[in-house]
Amino acid sequence: MRLWVLAALVAMATAQLVNKNVNRVVDLTTQIAKVTAEVEVENSGASVVDTYEVVIDPSAVKHLSFISVSEHGNELAVRTTSAGVYEATLSSSLSNGGKTSLVVTTTFTHSLEPYPRAINQPDNQLVRSIVTHITTASTAPSSNSLSLT
């Protein structure tokens, strides 16, 4: 099965934030595709950072139905800055060397298609995700994992 689902996460503030560890879980068990990414973020820049940016691939924006970012179990305020770009305000600013853990949850509707289109009655119907996400972090995560369910 060809699957094009990756979480799209971008560190903001002129490449000051580094995604140190990203663990993505893609759930395609229902008609709604859900991507949950646990991200360990570190400020490697000299100035203080108080926002984190999440970028959704332009082809997936029309399918996005929900986005949330939480930090240590507390949901953060998320606002749209432009088409497919969402900014979450951190609960506290990160100074140089500061770290935090975030959970980014996105859900997409109308993003699955039957694969193959036609099957015999006793066959299992597989699906293919038509939503693509691209990780475009300024620094590649030192640890990255993907789980599909």
Side-chain angles (χ1 to χ4, degrees):
M1 179 167 100
R2 192 169 88 187
L3 183 65
W4 302 330
V5 179
L6 295 173
L9 305 172
V10 174
M12 187 177 160
T14 39
Q16 293 184 51
L17 291 180
V18 176
N19 295 329
K20 296 299 268 185
N21 185 22
V22 179
N23 180 30
R24 291 181 291 248
V25 176
V26 180
D27 182 357
L28 301 177
T29 57
T30 68
Q31 70 273 18
I32 298 174
K34 180 179 179 182
V35 180
T36 303
E38 297 173 357
V39 185
E40 292 178 18
V41 180
E42 180 179 359
N43 183 0
S44 63
S47 61
V48 174
V49 176
D50 60 356
T51 58
Y52 184 79
E53 193 172 75
V54 179
V55 178
I56 305 297
D57 186 277
S59 66
V61 170
K62 66 182 178 182
H63 299 288
L64 181 69
S65 64
F66 176 77
I67 184 167
S68 74
V69 180
S70 61
E71 183 178 21
H72 306 296
N74 300 319
E75 193 161 330
L76 303 177
V78 178
R79 67 181 185 92
T80 304
T81 58
S82 62
V85 180
Y86 301 87
E87 185 179 83
T89 304
L90 301 175
S91 58
S92 61
S93 298
L94 288 178
S95 58
N96 183 4
K99 298 178 182 180
T100 191
S101 295
L102 303 173
V103 176
V104 179
T105 303
T106 53
T107 58
F108 299 89
T109 58
H110 308 291
S111 62
L112 302 176
E113 62 183 21
Y115 184 80
R117 284 252 181 237
I119 61 170
N120 293 323
Q121 183 75 25
D123 295 341
N124 289 330
Q125 178 66 65
L126 302 176
V127 294
R128 174 175 38 198
S129 175
I130 59 173
V131 176
T132 61
H133 304 112
I134 301 171
T135 302
T136 55
S138 58
T139 305
S142 56
S143 175
N144 193 0
S145 66
L146 173 66
S147 300
L148 301 174
T149 58

